[in-house]
Amino acid sequence: MPKPSPSTQTRRNSTGAKPRKTSISASATTLAKRHQWLFVFFILLLLALVWRIVFLQVTNKSFLQRQGDARLLRTITLPAHRGQMHDRHGQALAISTPVDSVWVDPQQVIEAQQQWPQLMELLGKDSKDLEQLLDTRMQREFVYLQRHLNPQLAAQIDALNIPGVYLQREYRRYYPAAEVTAHVLGFTNIDDQGQEGLELAFEQNLRGTTGKRRVMQDRKGQVIARLQELEAAHAGQDLNLSLDRRLAYLAYRELRDAVVENQAKGGSVVILDVQTGEVLAMSNQPAYNPNNRNDLDSQKYRNRAVTDRFEPGSTIKPFTIAAALESGLHTADSRIQTGNGKFKIGRFNIHDGGAYGKIDLRTILRKSSNVGAAKVALSLPGETLWNLFYYAGFGSSTGSIFPGETPGHLPYFADWNRVDQASLGFGYGLSVSLLQLARAYAAIANQGRLPVINFLAQNSKSSAPQSRLIMQSETAQELMTMLEAVVSPQGTGKRAILEHYRVAGKTGTARKTNHSGYVEDRYRALFVGIAPASQPKIVIAIMLDEPGGKHYYGGQIAAPVFAKIAKTALYWLNVPADKIK
């Protein structure tokens, strides 16, 4: 075989062991560089972590704390206790009791759908109801499910421990006397805000101020720490009302029985303190229970004794006589010709219950003569009659601040014709509330001074707002004597006679109207009485609306209600008897 050439040998040497040494050296260099880069990478990563720690713990610390607080800390509202209302003797009439309401966080409760049936079964609802409730409220964090649960139900719901379902403490108003004081006190809504009656009138006094507290909650929303009270909750002011709970029960019972017995559409009673103008009792029929919100019917909860007006009929006659006495044109002995009991003015006829002939002013009241009252009114200047009526409080508010109070209606004397003036003399053509009527009689009993109506108890007679003089004390005393004769065996108010007390009062029977005028068979029966007549303490005004029984005259059906109420009321008030056999 031929030997390889030198060049060939050289090429072999060039690809032999010497090149292998060069490759190993290059690999070692590359690996070393990789180690260096990896070391640098970890150093940089460590520096990045250190920088991030510094950034989070120092530079961005406040932001992170806020984010953490947002997930754990909450500011909750501290409910405020609404002020209580008591009667004049300290008996509770309106109190707020703590209750729980159930609410949900839609984003949390949606994840516990398997427990919905248990929850909704306790609430008497279907799971579809909750689904529909949440359907349009998923972006909210607070949705009421049901308000004001009873304690047993609240405990059962709490025991379910459903995520996103929570209880919130609230207050519910409770009225111990229920229907008895409902029309005066009114009621609150589900948020414990006054809606009617004194609850609305004194809302600013009764309403408390809610507080705020910072708390820490767990992921289920349960409070695990109370951190800070931001604002203290302040309870509302307690009120001592002028009402006497005993008299309120008495008035409610007797009025209810009278309405049923006489098949009346409804009725009202007002009892006033003669000197202070305090409302001792006020009741209406039909009544309602403010503790049952399903029973809140606007036709029932209106306080008709204050908000409704009506023509007072013959109960206005004492003020016609007062105007005559004050004018100086008449005395109690002045005689008026009533003839055969019929008097025609234009196309209008005025009738009496009998032919009384020529009678004095005392007999006009005792017999309740429409003809006599009309002729007395016509004998006076219109302004004189109007002034007496106006200053007696007709046509203006009593100042009671009761929501929805009617001022009544008293047409201005410049707009009267003879028919208007004659009609006003016996109680038609003007309108009053029962509260206004009772107040005007209180002025007669209070030596001519018209008291300011109060629903708050007065600590003493001197603390009562200043009354207004509407007639001379001599005139008021003369009227008391005349009205006492009305409540006598010979008067129209004989059924109001009390065994041990002298009584002064006046009956009234007024026709009702509709869109076409007066209606023959629809009446209001009225009686307003003062007792005792010697030293007047109380005024009681009664109105029965549309009696449907055999009797409808005020002297027949309203006067007996006065007698039943006054007999017990005077005894409870420790008023000494003034009629000795």
Side-chain angles (χ1 to χ4, degrees):
M1 292 182 62
K3 294 181 180 179
S5 63
S7 59
T8 302
Q9 183 68 37
T10 302
R11 286 195 303 272
R12 285 179 179 175
N13 291 338
S14 64
T15 59
K18 197 171 190 175
R20 281 199 299 270
K21 289 180 181 180
T22 302
S23 176
I24 292 172
S25 176
S27 297
T29 302
T30 301
L31 183 59
K33 289 181 178 180
R34 287 179 180 175
H35 286 167
Q36 291 174 355
W37 282 112
L38 187 61
F39 177 75
V40 170
F41 171 76
F42 279 114
I43 292 296
L44 292 175
L45 180 61
L46 181 61
L47 290 174
L49 291 175
V50 171
W51 175 85
R52 184 62 177 169
I53 291 172
V54 172
F55 175 78
L56 293 179
Q57 295 297 322
V58 180
T59 308
N60 209 29
K61 179 180 180 181
S62 59
F63 171 78
L64 293 176
Q65 285 180 333
R66 287 196 301 271
Q67 292 298 308
D69 291 346
R71 288 161 174 77
L72 294 176
L73 299 183
R74 292 288 186 273
T75 299
I76 62 174
T77 299
L78 300 177
H81 196 283
R82 188 175 178 85
Q84 298 186 10
M85 288 192 279
H86 305 97
D87 82 340
R88 63 190 306 108
H89 302 297
Q91 295 293 315
L93 297 179
I95 58 178
S96 290
T97 57
V99 294
D100 287 311
S101 293
V102 59
W103 63 277
V104 298
D105 183 334
Q107 297 180 12
Q108 294 180 20
V109 78
I110 198 71
E111 300 176 1
Q113 294 189 40
Q114 69 279 4
Q115 293 178 275
W116 287 8
Q118 296 174 275
L119 172 65
M120 301 309 286
E121 182 180 359
L122 288 176
L123 296 176
K125 299 178 181 179
D126 191 86
S127 296
K128 292 182 179 179
D129 297 329
L130 180 55
E131 185 177 350
Q132 292 174 358
L133 181 68
L134 299 179
D135 187 44
T136 58
R137 298 171 174 83
M138 286 305 299
Q139 301 306 315
R140 300 185 185 180
E141 295 182 354
F142 184 101
V143 177
Y144 273 119
L145 194 55
Q146 189 161 311
R147 307 284 296 274
H148 296 181
L149 309 176
N150 65 59
Q152 294 80 7
L153 180 57
Q156 289 177 296
I157 291 175
D158 190 44
L160 293 176
N161 199 26
I162 301 175
V165 178
Y166 309 104
L167 296 178
Q168 175 170 296
R169 177 54 52 91
E170 295 184 307
Y171 288 98
R172 177 187 172 93
R173 204 64 161 169
Y174 175 67
Y175 303 93
E179 295 96 333
V180 173
T181 56
H183 289 106
V184 180
L185 302 184
F187 54 87
T188 61
N189 62 11
I190 199 165
D191 293 315
D192 219 17
Q193 298 170 339
Q195 299 297 294
E196 288 287 335
L198 298 184
E199 291 279 22
L200 176 58
F202 294 108
E203 171 67 13
Q204 297 300 319
N205 304 80
L206 294 167
R207 183 180 60 195
T209 304
T210 58
K212 294 180 180 179
R213 173 179 287 162
R214 182 69 60 83
V215 299
M216 182 177 290
Q217 295 177 328
D218 61 14
R219 65 184 184 86
K220 294 183 178 181
Q222 302 298 321
V223 176
I224 57 177
R226 293 176 172 84
L227 302 180
Q228 181 184 9
E229 187 175 277
L230 303 178
E231 295 179 18
H234 297 284
Q237 177 186 349
D238 292 345
L239 296 180
N240 293 320
L241 303 182
S242 61
L243 298 180
D244 187 318
R245 185 169 170 174
R246 302 168 304 168
L247 299 186
Y249 272 109
L250 176 64
Y252 170 83
R253 182 189 68 201
E254 297 300 339
L255 177 65
R256 179 197 60 194
D257 293 349
V259 167
V260 172
E261 180 182 349
N262 295 285
Q263 303 171 38
K265 182 179 178 180
S268 300
V269 171
V270 174
I271 305 178
L272 294 182
D273 185 292
V274 164
Q275 295 183 331
T276 65
E278 292 170 291
V279 179
L280 302 179
M282 183 179 284
S283 186
N284 296 274
Q285 288 291 328
Y288 72 98
N289 184 355
N291 297 316
N292 180 7
R293 297 189 180 276
N294 297 324
D295 193 36
L296 297 184
D297 181 353
S298 61
Q299 295 302 314
K300 291 182 178 180
Y301 62 65
R302 189 170 74 252
N303 187 352
R304 300 173 187 272
V306 180
T307 64
D308 288 14
R309 64 186 191 181
F310 55 89
E311 291 180 308
S314 294
T315 56
I316 210 70
K317 290 174 183 174
F319 302 96
T320 302
I321 301 301
L325 297 175
E326 288 283 289
S327 71
L329 299 175
H330 294 275
T331 68
D333 297 319
S334 298
R335 300 177 71 79
I336 304 297
Q337 180 58 259
T338 64
N340 63 355
K342 296 180 180 179
F343 180 42
K344 187 172 184 179
I345 305 179
R347 61 187 182 88
F348 295 96
N349 294 305
I350 300 172
H351 300 275
D352 276 344
Y356 305 130
K358 199 169 187 178
I359 55 178
D360 58 19
L361 300 192
R362 297 184 184 91
T363 307
I364 288 176
L365 282 186
R366 182 165 57 85
K367 293 295 186 181
S368 196
S369 170
N370 292 334
V371 174
K375 288 190 173 183
V376 169
L378 289 172
S379 72
L380 303 174
E383 186 175 2
T384 298
L385 185 62
W386 184 89
N387 280 338
L388 193 288
F389 281 17
Y390 178 77
Y391 288 118
F394 302 128
S396 59
S397 169
T398 64
S400 71
I401 74 168
F402 198 92
E405 178 183 0
T406 178
H409 175 64
L410 177 63
Y412 192 56
F413 67 89
D415 300 324
W416 296 352
N417 56 35
R418 280 179 56 81
V419 173
D420 295 332
Q421 188 162 338
S423 299
L424 284 166
F426 58 96
Y428 287 90
L430 78 162
S431 58
V432 304
S433 69
L434 194 65
L435 180 60
Q436 282 180 320
L437 194 59
R439 181 194 185 205
Y441 272 77
I444 297 175
N446 194 27
Q447 298 182 348
R449 305 199 72 90
L450 186 72
V452 176
I453 295 300
N454 290 294
F455 282 98
L456 296 179
Q458 305 301 304
N459 296 327
S460 65
K461 293 178 181 178
S462 61
S463 66
Q466 187 63 43
S467 56
R468 184 176 74 232
L469 186 68
I470 67 168
M471 66 181 76
Q472 298 301 312
S473 60
E474 294 81 7
T475 301
Q477 187 56 52
E478 190 69 59
L479 283 176
M480 285 293 295
T481 302
M482 293 181 183
L483 293 174
E484 194 172 351
V486 173
V487 187
S488 69
Q490 294 77 35
T492 58
K494 59 186 177 183
R495 296 192 179 185
I497 294 174
L498 297 179
E499 183 177 3
H500 300 294
Y501 295 94
R502 292 163 50 194
V503 174
K506 185 68 187 75
T507 59
T509 307
R511 282 183 178 173
K512 295 186 68 174
T513 60
N514 59 20
H515 62 279
S516 59
Y518 291 99
V519 182
E520 287 290 333
D521 57 349
R522 293 170 60 190
Y523 300 91
R524 287 186 178 92
L526 297 130
F527 184 84
V528 186
I530 302 166
S534 59
Q535 292 185 336
K537 172 62 178 175
I538 56 174
V539 169
I540 305 176
I542 299 106
M543 186 274 290
L544 296 176
D545 186 22
E546 283 191 41
K550 183 170 64 173
H551 302 296
Y552 59 87
Y553 287 111
Q556 293 174 317
I557 63 175
V561 181
F562 168 87
K564 292 176 181 178
I565 295 175
K567 177 183 177 182
T568 304
L570 292 171
Y571 173 76
W572 283 347
L573 294 173
N574 296 317
V575 178
D578 65 343
K579 186 166 68 175
I580 307 300
K581 291 186 179 180

